[in-house]
């Protein structure tokens, strides 16, 4: 009984007064979310990123809870960034931005500041690369058209020379 009372007291002090919601104890929800987070971390450790991402996505869709959701957002963003490969890191970026917006004082937010800067820079670089690739394609097409026009002019010039020769 004493251990149970200590566990309840610990839960109330770690989750704060904000966990009391509609007359129910939020610490039950907190421990439920903690279990889900632990399961996701276990999946990450086993190398099963897909299962971990599914758990973390579901966890992040639930009512946010400091100490759980912030860590879940951070870990989910890492999985999203890893899965992105050469694609845009937009989903990972959005998850990190959500972490920064909803949990600005979280230790997970503090750890992710440089990561978000790198992701933003990488996305900007990819945007610029796409723009340059499009410009390059357009210039290549214009260059081809100019070459064709130059060939036509040479041909016309030859025809003109042949007509002017007696």
């Amino acid at each position: 009984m004493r251990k149970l009372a200590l566990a309840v007291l610990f839960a109330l002090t770690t989750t704060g007064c904000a966990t009391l919601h509609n007359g129910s104890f939020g610490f039950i929800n907190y421990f439920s979310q903690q279990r889900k987070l632990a399961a996701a971390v276990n999946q990450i450790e086993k190398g099963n990123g897909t299962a971990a991402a599914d758990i973390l996505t579901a966890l992040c869709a639930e009512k946010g809870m400091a100490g759980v959701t912030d860590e879940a957002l951070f870990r989910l963003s890492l999985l999203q960034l890893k899965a992105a490969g050469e694609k845009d890191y937009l989903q990972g970026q959005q998850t990190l931005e959500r972490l920064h917006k909803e949990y600005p004082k979280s230790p997970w937010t503090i750890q992710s500041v440089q990561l978000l800067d790198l992701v933003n820079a990488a996305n900007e670089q990819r945007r610029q690369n796409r723009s340059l690739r499009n410009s390059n394609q357009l210039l290549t097409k214009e260059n081809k058209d100019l070459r064709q026009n130059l060939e036509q002019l040479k041909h016309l010039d030859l025809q003109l020379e042949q007509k002017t020769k007696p």
Side-chain angles (χ1 to χ4, degrees):
M1 185 66 172
R2 189 174 192 194
K3 288 181 183 180
L4 179 62
L6 283 173
V8 170
L9 182 61
F10 173 75
L12 288 173
T13 58
T14 58
T15 59
C17 294
T19 59
L20 293 176
H21 182 67
N22 292 336
S24 63
F25 288 101
F27 71 90
I28 294 171
N29 190 27
Y30 176 82
F31 284 115
S32 171
Q33 288 187 4
Q34 275 287 62
R35 263 194 343 268
K36 291 175 188 174
L37 179 60
V41 170
N42 187 19
Q43 290 298 320
I44 292 170
E45 290 170 353
K46 288 180 179 179
N48 192 350
T50 304
D54 291 343
I55 294 168
L56 292 170
T57 300
L59 185 57
C60 292
E62 294 179 17
K63 185 176 189 293
M65 192 161 295
V68 178
T69 309
D70 51 345
E71 182 178 351
L73 286 166
F74 179 78
R75 290 181 182 274
L76 179 60
S77 69
L78 292 178
L79 291 171
Q80 290 168 333
L81 293 172
K82 181 180 179 187
E86 284 299 312
K87 297 183 222 169
D88 282 359
Y89 294 129
L90 189 58
Q91 195 173 20
Q93 179 185 19
Q94 290 170 342
T95 303
L96 284 170
E97 287 171 348
R98 178 179 167 200
L99 171 63
H100 284 245
K101 179 182 171 192
E102 294 178 16
Y103 303 95
K105 299 203 187 281
S106 167
W108 297 101
T109 302
I110 294 165
Q111 291 181 54
S112 71
V113 169
Q114 290 178 327
L115 177 60
L116 182 57
D117 289 345
L118 288 171
V119 170
N120 287 337
N123 278 338
E124 178 59 23
Q125 194 67 42
R126 281 183 177 76
R127 188 196 63 72
Q128 288 177 0
N129 285 347
R130 274 193 302 273
S131 175
L132 289 172
R133 198 175 307 119
N134 290 340
S135 295
N136 189 25
Q137 288 173 345
L138 191 65
L139 289 171
T140 300
K141 183 184 180 310
E142 287 179 12
N143 191 17
K144 182 181 175 184
D145 291 346
L146 285 172
R147 282 187 182 149
Q148 287 176 345
N149 288 342
L150 183 61
E151 288 299 319
Q152 286 177 348
L153 285 173
K154 284 181 184 178
H155 183 69
L156 288 174
D157 190 40
L158 273 173
Q159 284 180 346
L160 185 63
E161 268 185 49
Q162 287 174 355
K163 285 184 180 179
T164 57
K165 283 185 182 178

